[in-house]
Amino acid sequence: MATHAFLLAAALLSLLCFHAIASDPSLLQDFCVVDKMSTVRVNGFPCKDAKDVVAEDFFFQGLDMAGNTTNKQGSAVTPVNVAQIAGLNTLGISLARIDYAPFGLNPPHTHPRGTEILTVLDGSLYVGFVTSNPDNKLIAKVLNKGDVFVFPEGLIHFQFNYGTKSAVALAALSSQNPGVITVANAVFGSKPSISDDVLAKAFQVDKQTIDRIQAQF
């Protein structure tokens, strides 16, 4: 009986230890402002001395200015993450402004390290995300000014301005550095290129079609 109790206790302790290792660690200080001069490489960024921290480390200016949407997609993303605000390091949050020209698109993409919650500030957007295999279900909705929509972490999603007026949205993300992978750019614009044989088979088209698509990236 004592042996069984010991084994049970050991198993529970193992589970607790695994959970502690698998979860993000809690912040052990007030903040960890990025030390941009450090040559140390860590998962994230090293901290600079707290006595050298200033208000500018937590400040960003210019989010009121519209991004330049004169591009093929007709959209512009202005990120505000740890690259722009050093004080976001270890805080697990960031945001972005997205501007859309009429019929502008923020193309299908994914954030591998963060969930996104998006609010429409002006205009209307058709938004959606696709669930993972095998269902690949499209969950989509038309949003108007003041509406909010959530894109779960890692899932492919998009926003499209189907209207004749410009639109603006503000997105918050659950990571200081959520990352972004634009599907078309990654698949057809990788360097070096993915083999025509691979892409032609994956998309069930001929190699000439793949070549024409790759030429756009």
Side-chain angles (χ1 to χ4, degrees):
M1 190 71 177
T3 302
H4 289 165
F6 173 78
L7 291 175
L8 178 60
L12 289 172
L13 181 61
S14 297
L15 287 172
L16 288 171
C17 290
F18 174 79
H19 179 74
I21 294 170
S23 300
D24 289 338
S26 298
L27 194 63
L28 300 179
Q29 54 211 25
D30 290 340
F31 46 75
C32 174
V33 174
V34 176
D35 182 357
K36 296 181 180 179
M37 302 303 293
S38 176
T39 58
V40 175
R41 293 292 177 264
V42 295
N43 183 23
F45 299 94
C47 314
K48 73 177 180 180
D49 196 316
K51 66 179 174 55
D52 297 324
V53 171
V54 295
E56 297 300 315
D57 292 323
F58 301 91
F59 176 75
F60 177 86
Q61 189 174 38
L63 208 60
D64 60 316
M65 299 176 63
N68 183 2
T69 59
T70 56
N71 52 62
K72 289 183 178 181
Q73 299 295 347
S75 67
V77 178
T78 304
V80 186
N81 55 45
V82 71
Q84 288 77 37
I85 301 181
L88 283 176
N89 191 33
T90 73
L91 297 185
I93 192 170
S94 60
L95 57 83
R97 170 181 172 142
I98 310 102
D99 290 277
Y100 313 82
F103 304 105
L105 171 71
N106 190 10
H109 62 281
T110 177
H111 302 292
R113 296 181 292 275
T115 292
E116 176 181 343
I117 182 167
L118 178 133
T119 303
V120 178
L121 301 181
D122 199 17
S124 298
L125 295 172
Y126 171 61
V127 308
F129 64 86
V130 179
T131 64
S132 56
N133 298 350
D135 294 337
N136 299 134
K137 180 180 179 181
L138 173 63
I139 297 177
K141 190 172 181 61
V142 173
L143 305 182
N144 297 303
K145 183 177 180 178
D147 291 345
V148 177
F149 199 80
V150 174
F151 305 106
E153 179 176 340
L155 297 187
I156 295 172
H157 58 283
F158 63 87
Q159 302 107 34
F160 177 62
N161 178 12
Y162 64 91
T164 57
K165 297 181 179 179
S166 297
V168 183
L170 191 66
L173 299 109
S174 62
S175 171
Q176 67 180 42
N177 183 24
V180 60
I181 301 171
T182 304
V183 177
N185 295 53
V187 174
F188 296 106
S190 67
K191 294 179 178 56
S193 299
I194 299 174
S195 166
D196 284 0
D197 293 320
V198 173
L199 295 181
K201 191 171 184 65
F203 288 93
Q204 296 296 290
V205 296
D206 57 58
K207 294 182 182 180
Q208 289 72 28
T209 300
I210 295 298
D211 289 339
R212 286 196 296 271
I213 297 174
Q214 286 180 322
Q216 303 302 311
F217 297 89

